[in-house]
Amino acid sequence: MEIDLEISDEDYVVESAKNTLKVNPISAKAWMITARTLYPNNFGVQFEAYSIEKEAGHVKEAAKYFSDLIGKFQQQAELWKEIEKITVALRAETDTTDSEKHFLCEMFKHISSDVQHKLLLFTADHCEDTMEHCRLLLLLLQRFPTAISSYGPRLVDTLISAEKHSVDGHYPVNSYRKLLVCDLLPLLASEKVKIDLSSKLLYKLLHKSIEFYLCYLGLSTMNVQEMEPKVEDPWTRLFGIIEFIGKQLNWEPYLTNFTTNWSKESYWQNIISFCQSKSKNNTLEDKQLLFCLAIFFLYCLYEYNASLTPESSPGQICISYLLVEAFTDPSLPNPVTEPKSKKRKSDGDIVHNTVPYITVEKPDLKYIHSNFLVCVNCWDLLNSSENIQREFIKMNTHLKLDPWLSGFVIDYALFKGLYDEALMFLQKISDPSLLLYRHLRIASILYMKKNYSSCLEPILLALPLLPTNNVGSLSNNLIVGGTQKHLHYLPLTRLAILQYLVKILIRCIKDNIIKHGYNELSIGHIFTLVQLDWPQEEDFIPPLLEQIQQHRSFQYHNFQSYIINVDILEEITYLWTSQGGQIHLDILPHLGQRRIGTRGSDKGIKEEIKQAIRRQIMRSNEKLDELLINFIQNERTHILQCLV
Amino acid sequence: MSTSSEVNLKQTLRKIEYPLCAKEALNKVVELVCSRITSIKHMDLALDLMSEFIFYEVDRRGNKRSQGLTPLLELQLIEILFEYFNSIPNESIRNTVFLSLFSGTTAAMRLGILSKLVSVGMGIPSQTILMMASVWMQQLGSFSQNSCKLAESLVQDYFYFSPESTERLKSLPSMCPQFTANFMTAISENYFSMSRREVSCPPKNLLEILKYWISNNYSLCIAAQQRPAVLPPGAIAMEPTTPIAGLLKWCILAPIYKQDINLYSELHLALLNSILEIPRTNPPKAIYAQHLAHSINPILAYVNDLKNKQELKLDKILNEDALQLSLDRYAQAVQVAHSVNAIYGHVDDLFNQLKQLPFNKLLSIVISTYNRNKVIVL
């Protein structure tokens, strides 16, 4: 063995250990043990011993050596680097891809809990970066729940003040808030003992949590910064916080229990029973009701809004649904309504009539309706007392939820028949993505208000906004029997929207005929319009034909352009035959001058009309949506004449 | 007890056939050696009963029997002894009787029976038998000739005659750690020993089991020291010797006797770790300085031997790998043992004697560190 006389004794021993490691790890350990006992106060030797065990992957030995290092050499920068590595590893414990991190986590487990505790506390105190300090304290509390009662409240204060002073502290979603709301509060909640926090601070934490999660969910107009990693299941977490804070504030346990056997229905019942049992003007009770009801409402509304655009099956386009005024037909049988309204029927028809009948496209969308009704109940309750209403408005002003609420507020107004209110909200909408909704609903409301002449404008505004990539299909649910108010969740597809708008126009024109009497142009327009979802509204046609027969002539110069439905063409042709009464048809504008002429020329006219009708029949396969959009857009002045 | 009743007792026992009379004699011996007042007379009677009725060594007139026990009778006697000791609930009484049966002038004579009884105790295993054997070794000294012979006989039974049974012995430390420790101490004296005509090395399976025992339980080596022997009042308990020094000697000498390097380095490491776990006592008692010095002479003899052969130049001899490995292990052992203050006796002498050894860098570091620290202490 060659001996280098230049190197120091310490280096010789450490080098021997390292050299032996390559050939005989067992002997290397013996060397290292010797080195450690020879130089117990030499950091280099002790740290080397640790490094060798670490590199060799000996968890237990490394843990033992590391514990010794922590006890003896807290001033060493190299040791702090290692400590930092451990705390980083502990925070990413689930990441098993990094073998060093994995080793350090395993090693930490082998350190006595006393030393673990010390390590984390030292590190936190040693740390100059506030965020880092907070993260380390949090790590300490996660590892040592017994430390929660002493360090938990301190960390809450630190985080609140750190948020206040941080650059992005004015955003409700910031890293300090996330640590406070997503990590620390749930940790405090998991501790069984009561934690010493003032009720003022508890309300503050509740506010901060609500603000954080609602902003995180994108319900507020406040700026939200990107948050990584994602927060899983925000509602469950928010409920958890209400449960925790409610417990601390001695709230009714059944109001703060969102976990065991929880359902919207049962929770709503809990709220109702709380309202019935609570005394008037009790601030504590009002506060619980406000918070629980408001959060429950927002949760239901979140579900309702989500249900308006159900997830589509893969490969299919998502369809959104919009609540609109739909139509009734007294000649049809009244649909079997909900058992509830049936029961009420015995109380008197008035009640029955005030509950609108709400339909959806297909049975599996019924939950939209039920989601809506829960929201309506909550909304009514929130507005039932001045006190709660005021507090909720305050909360909303702070959280800036108005744009998010607006959809529901309009639905609610439609549901209650508060058309002026609904119009007021609608007129405020300027978001380009919501314009189609706006025009549709305005058209719908103006029709309900029988303001027919104003109906055309929103319809014309809506037409260019029709979706082009989502054609959809015609609806069969826009009309129900009976006379009660009928609301429908209209699928926002090209065909369904157009169908709905056309139906509005048909009814406006028809009502005007009844009001103003016979009008050939109006009748012609109705012929054109009913073609879209023919034969859904074929019942409109016979009375109109009768009117034409009475007047013995029918002039409609748009005939060649728009009427292509074989059934309607047949009916018109029949009018023209001797059996039909030989009604004079002025449907070809260029023939207008030769209306009365010689027999011969008359014969020519007949031939031309025949030809014209044949031509129209040939066109019967044309796309009706394009035809009708063209009709409404090109003939707007003619249509408006019929609406005035 | 009067002389006539003594005679009566013997007469009664003589009417019972051997070895059934042994059982009765044992009952009597217990009464005699454990009675509150013991007299020389009682002891003599007990000794008589043992040699005539239990071990079948003398006849009714006290003359030595020309023929000893047949193997069958010996087996029956061992069975009686085994059953008998296992039926005594009091540990102090058990140990007293056991020591009376197997120590003193007759110890060497009865070693065969004793070895077979302990062998059965290891095989069954019986904690009672092992604990008594442990105390016996301790009181006689684990390095004593009798202890070493017992150990040798047990090693013969388990590691030579039926080497496949070593697997079962793995749990011996959990059955009786004190016995295991004393057993190891005695074994350590049987190998690499200069007092014997020829130096012998332990069988590999023995080495493996020792390594297994120690590396799985670092406090095993000091187990006997941690539980005082249960003896009758007034008896002086002997301090057990740990196997550490003896086994370290194996590891230190193995390289120069060209033994399997890996097993010894593993045993060596296990021993170092065991030393680190030794609780501090004042005065220290785990490793005797003179025991630790036992390796010096064999190493010097080895070097002299090489010198005498004159095949190698002196610097080649001194830098030979085996020798240096030996010295490295020696230095490591002394350093680690000293660092936890586990060496008792004349530590200064030990370090002085170490200076006679051929040069080794680590050893010189260890010695100079010792001297430096000593100055600071002064």
mmCIF file of all heavy atoms in Angstrom, chain A residues 227-249:
data_model
loop_
_atom_site.group_PDB
_atom_site.id
_atom_site.type_symbol
_atom_site.label_atom_id
_atom_site.label_comp_id
_atom_site.label_asym_id
_atom_site.label_seq_id
_atom_site.Cartn_x
_atom_site.Cartn_y
_atom_site.Cartn_z
ATOM 1 N N MET A 227 -53.152 29.274 -11.235
ATOM 2 C CA MET A 227 -52.752 28.603 -10.000
ATOM 3 C C MET A 227 -52.240 27.209 -10.332
ATOM 4 O O MET A 227 -52.921 26.434 -10.983
ATOM 5 C CB MET A 227 -54.008 28.523 -9.162
ATOM 6 C CG MET A 227 -54.038 28.412 -7.711
ATOM 7 S SD MET A 227 -52.884 28.881 -6.468
ATOM 8 C CE MET A 227 -52.491 30.543 -6.547
ATOM 9 N N GLU A 228 -51.031 26.936 -9.932
ATOM 10 C CA GLU A 228 -50.475 25.589 -10.116
ATOM 11 C C GLU A 228 -50.002 25.070 -8.781
ATOM 12 O O GLU A 228 -49.373 25.812 -8.036
ATOM 13 C CB GLU A 228 -49.316 25.621 -11.105
ATOM 14 C CG GLU A 228 -49.708 25.740 -12.565
ATOM 15 C CD GLU A 228 -50.589 24.627 -13.097
ATOM 16 O OE1 GLU A 228 -50.506 23.496 -12.575
ATOM 17 O OE2 GLU A 228 -51.366 24.894 -14.013
ATOM 18 N N PRO A 229 -50.160 23.860 -8.410
ATOM 19 C CA PRO A 229 -51.011 22.910 -9.127
ATOM 20 C C PRO A 229 -52.491 23.198 -8.869
ATOM 21 O O PRO A 229 -52.826 23.973 -7.998
ATOM 22 C CB PRO A 229 -50.617 21.583 -8.483
ATOM 23 C CG PRO A 229 -50.143 21.942 -7.123
ATOM 24 C CD PRO A 229 -49.599 23.321 -7.199
ATOM 25 N N LYS A 230 -53.323 22.550 -9.650
ATOM 26 C CA LYS A 230 -54.770 22.763 -9.558
ATOM 27 C C LYS A 230 -55.311 22.379 -8.180
ATOM 28 O O LYS A 230 -54.782 21.500 -7.518
ATOM 29 C CB LYS A 230 -55.470 21.897 -10.610
ATOM 30 C CG LYS A 230 -55.185 22.344 -12.017
ATOM 31 C CD LYS A 230 -56.402 23.053 -12.596
ATOM 32 C CE LYS A 230 -56.138 23.644 -13.983
ATOM 33 N NZ LYS A 230 -55.091 24.640 -14.024
ATOM 34 N N VAL A 231 -56.348 23.063 -7.796
ATOM 35 C CA VAL A 231 -57.013 22.715 -6.536
ATOM 36 C C VAL A 231 -58.128 21.725 -6.871
ATOM 37 O O VAL A 231 -59.018 22.043 -7.659
ATOM 38 C CB VAL A 231 -57.603 23.964 -5.867
ATOM 39 C CG1 VAL A 231 -58.337 23.587 -4.595
ATOM 40 C CG2 VAL A 231 -56.522 24.980 -5.599
ATOM 41 N N GLU A 232 -58.050 20.553 -6.309
ATOM 42 C CA GLU A 232 -59.047 19.526 -6.617
ATOM 43 C C GLU A 232 -60.332 19.783 -5.824
ATOM 44 O O GLU A 232 -60.269 20.143 -4.644
ATOM 45 C CB GLU A 232 -58.521 18.137 -6.237
ATOM 46 C CG GLU A 232 -57.282 17.701 -6.989
ATOM 47 C CD GLU A 232 -57.568 17.302 -8.426
ATOM 48 O OE1 GLU A 232 -58.693 16.809 -8.682
ATOM 49 O OE2 GLU A 232 -56.698 17.506 -9.284
ATOM 50 N N ASP A 233 -61.449 19.584 -6.504
ATOM 51 C CA ASP A 233 -62.729 19.586 -5.821
ATOM 52 C C ASP A 233 -62.971 20.809 -4.918
ATOM 53 O O ASP A 233 -63.164 20.681 -3.706
ATOM 54 C CB ASP A 233 -62.798 18.320 -4.949
ATOM 55 C CG ASP A 233 -64.164 17.691 -5.050
ATOM 56 O OD1 ASP A 233 -65.068 18.361 -5.584
ATOM 57 O OD2 ASP A 233 -64.327 16.564 -4.586
ATOM 58 N N PRO A 234 -62.966 22.011 -5.506
ATOM 59 C CA PRO A 234 -63.041 23.229 -4.681
ATOM 60 C C PRO A 234 -64.274 23.293 -3.793
ATOM 61 O O PRO A 234 -64.184 23.741 -2.650
ATOM 62 C CB PRO A 234 -63.067 24.353 -5.708
ATOM 63 C CG PRO A 234 -62.701 23.760 -7.001
ATOM 64 C CD PRO A 234 -62.910 22.298 -6.930
ATOM 65 N N TRP A 235 -65.416 22.825 -4.285
ATOM 66 C CA TRP A 235 -66.637 22.939 -3.468
ATOM 67 C C TRP A 235 -66.539 22.104 -2.204
ATOM 68 O O TRP A 235 -66.858 22.570 -1.121
ATOM 69 C CB TRP A 235 -67.878 22.524 -4.278
ATOM 70 C CG TRP A 235 -68.321 23.599 -5.226
ATOM 71 C CD1 TRP A 235 -68.233 23.576 -6.580
ATOM 72 C CD2 TRP A 235 -68.890 24.871 -4.891
ATOM 73 N NE1 TRP A 235 -68.715 24.744 -7.114
ATOM 74 C CE2 TRP A 235 -69.136 25.558 -6.110
ATOM 75 C CE3 TRP A 235 -69.223 25.498 -3.699
ATOM 76 C CZ2 TRP A 235 -69.693 26.830 -6.160
ATOM 77 C CZ3 TRP A 235 -69.786 26.772 -3.739
ATOM 78 C CH2 TRP A 235 -70.015 27.435 -4.954
ATOM 79 N N THR A 236 -66.074 20.869 -2.350
ATOM 80 C CA THR A 236 -65.936 20.017 -1.167
ATOM 81 C C THR A 236 -65.020 20.676 -0.149
ATOM 82 O O THR A 236 -65.263 20.649 1.060
ATOM 83 C CB THR A 236 -65.359 18.655 -1.577
ATOM 84 O OG1 THR A 236 -66.063 18.220 -2.720
ATOM 85 C CG2 THR A 236 -65.473 17.657 -0.468
ATOM 86 N N ARG A 237 -63.958 21.286 -0.659
ATOM 87 C CA ARG A 237 -63.015 21.942 0.248
ATOM 88 C C ARG A 237 -63.661 23.151 0.928
ATOM 89 O O ARG A 237 -63.461 23.375 2.115
ATOM 90 C CB ARG A 237 -61.784 22.385 -0.538
ATOM 91 C CG ARG A 237 -60.861 21.227 -0.840
ATOM 92 C CD ARG A 237 -59.946 21.584 -1.983
ATOM 93 N NE ARG A 237 -58.874 20.622 -2.109
ATOM 94 C CZ ARG A 237 -57.687 20.762 -1.506
ATOM 95 N NH1 ARG A 237 -57.423 21.813 -0.778
ATOM 96 N NH2 ARG A 237 -56.769 19.848 -1.666
ATOM 97 N N LEU A 238 -64.427 23.900 0.148
ATOM 98 C CA LEU A 238 -65.091 25.064 0.747
ATOM 99 C C LEU A 238 -66.096 24.606 1.810
ATOM 100 O O LEU A 238 -66.167 25.178 2.902
ATOM 101 C CB LEU A 238 -65.782 25.887 -0.348
ATOM 102 C CG LEU A 238 -66.526 27.138 0.113
ATOM 103 C CD1 LEU A 238 -65.606 28.058 0.916
ATOM 104 C CD2 LEU A 238 -67.097 27.908 -1.067
ATOM 105 N N PHE A 239 -66.841 23.558 1.495
ATOM 106 C CA PHE A 239 -67.782 23.022 2.494
ATOM 107 C C PHE A 239 -67.030 22.598 3.754
ATOM 108 O O PHE A 239 -67.472 22.822 4.878
ATOM 109 C CB PHE A 239 -68.540 21.815 1.929
ATOM 110 C CG PHE A 239 -69.572 22.176 0.887
ATOM 111 C CD1 PHE A 239 -69.955 21.257 -0.088
ATOM 112 C CD2 PHE A 239 -70.169 23.424 0.878
ATOM 113 C CE1 PHE A 239 -70.911 21.586 -1.045
ATOM 114 C CE2 PHE A 239 -71.121 23.762 -0.084
ATOM 115 C CZ PHE A 239 -71.483 22.841 -1.044
ATOM 116 N N GLY A 240 -65.867 21.992 3.538
ATOM 117 C CA GLY A 240 -65.040 21.556 4.667
ATOM 118 C C GLY A 240 -64.669 22.736 5.558
ATOM 119 O O GLY A 240 -64.679 22.631 6.793
ATOM 120 N N ILE A 241 -64.363 23.846 4.933
ATOM 121 C CA ILE A 241 -63.976 25.029 5.717
ATOM 122 C C ILE A 241 -65.176 25.579 6.478
ATOM 123 O O ILE A 241 -65.060 25.968 7.646
ATOM 124 C CB ILE A 241 -63.338 26.079 4.787
ATOM 125 C CG1 ILE A 241 -61.939 25.591 4.439
ATOM 126 C CG2 ILE A 241 -63.294 27.449 5.449
ATOM 127 C CD1 ILE A 241 -61.214 26.414 3.444
ATOM 128 N N ILE A 242 -66.338 25.576 5.819
ATOM 129 C CA ILE A 242 -67.529 26.047 6.530
ATOM 130 C C ILE A 242 -67.811 25.134 7.720
ATOM 131 O O ILE A 242 -68.145 25.585 8.818
ATOM 132 C CB ILE A 242 -68.729 26.096 5.562
ATOM 133 C CG1 ILE A 242 -68.470 27.194 4.536
ATOM 134 C CG2 ILE A 242 -70.026 26.353 6.319
ATOM 135 C CD1 ILE A 242 -69.453 27.241 3.423
ATOM 136 N N GLU A 243 -67.620 23.853 7.499
ATOM 137 C CA GLU A 243 -67.830 22.891 8.576
ATOM 138 C C GLU A 243 -66.903 23.208 9.758
ATOM 139 O O GLU A 243 -67.333 23.250 10.913
ATOM 140 C CB GLU A 243 -67.527 21.492 8.036
ATOM 141 C CG GLU A 243 -68.287 20.405 8.729
ATOM 142 C CD GLU A 243 -68.247 19.113 7.931
ATOM 143 O OE1 GLU A 243 -68.151 19.153 6.689
ATOM 144 O OE2 GLU A 243 -68.311 18.050 8.561
ATOM 145 N N PHE A 244 -65.633 23.445 9.428
ATOM 146 C CA PHE A 244 -64.636 23.732 10.463
ATOM 147 C C PHE A 244 -64.952 25.040 11.188
ATOM 148 O O PHE A 244 -65.049 25.085 12.419
ATOM 149 C CB PHE A 244 -63.253 23.790 9.805
ATOM 150 C CG PHE A 244 -62.201 24.458 10.644
ATOM 151 C CD1 PHE A 244 -61.876 23.956 11.907
ATOM 152 C CD2 PHE A 244 -61.529 25.578 10.172
ATOM 153 C CE1 PHE A 244 -60.904 24.567 12.675
ATOM 154 C CE2 PHE A 244 -60.559 26.189 10.945
ATOM 155 C CZ PHE A 244 -60.253 25.691 12.198
ATOM 156 N N ILE A 245 -65.172 26.102 10.399
ATOM 157 C CA ILE A 245 -65.387 27.407 11.034
ATOM 158 C C ILE A 245 -66.719 27.424 11.766
ATOM 159 O O ILE A 245 -66.826 27.964 12.868
ATOM 160 C CB ILE A 245 -65.253 28.529 9.980
ATOM 161 C CG1 ILE A 245 -63.769 28.632 9.605
ATOM 162 C CG2 ILE A 245 -65.782 29.859 10.517
ATOM 163 C CD1 ILE A 245 -63.417 29.666 8.606
ATOM 164 N N GLY A 246 -67.713 26.781 11.160
ATOM 165 C CA GLY A 246 -69.005 26.682 11.830
ATOM 166 C C GLY A 246 -68.874 26.006 13.190
ATOM 167 O O GLY A 246 -69.481 26.419 14.182
ATOM 168 N N LYS A 247 -68.055 24.969 13.225
ATOM 169 C CA LYS A 247 -67.853 24.248 14.488
ATOM 170 C C LYS A 247 -67.213 25.172 15.521
ATOM 171 O O LYS A 247 -67.614 25.216 16.680
ATOM 172 C CB LYS A 247 -66.971 23.022 14.228
ATOM 173 C CG LYS A 247 -67.185 21.902 15.217
ATOM 174 C CD LYS A 247 -66.248 20.742 14.924
ATOM 175 C CE LYS A 247 -66.774 19.822 13.831
ATOM 176 N NZ LYS A 247 -65.740 18.868 13.386
ATOM 177 N N GLN A 248 -66.215 25.925 15.055
ATOM 178 C CA GLN A 248 -65.527 26.847 15.966
ATOM 179 C C GLN A 248 -66.477 27.929 16.481
ATOM 180 O O GLN A 248 -66.357 28.395 17.605
ATOM 181 C CB GLN A 248 -64.342 27.527 15.263
ATOM 182 C CG GLN A 248 -63.303 26.576 14.711
ATOM 183 C CD GLN A 248 -62.594 25.780 15.797
ATOM 184 O OE1 GLN A 248 -62.155 26.337 16.795
ATOM 185 N NE2 GLN A 248 -62.504 24.482 15.618
ATOM 186 N N LEU A 249 -67.429 28.325 15.613
ATOM 187 C CA LEU A 249 -68.351 29.399 15.995
ATOM 188 C C LEU A 249 -69.621 28.862 16.640
ATOM 189 O O LEU A 249 -70.572 29.615 16.847
ATOM 190 C CB LEU A 249 -68.714 30.221 14.750
ATOM 191 C CG LEU A 249 -67.589 31.102 14.167
ATOM 192 C CD1 LEU A 249 -67.989 31.637 12.802
ATOM 193 C CD2 LEU A 249 -67.267 32.249 15.105
#
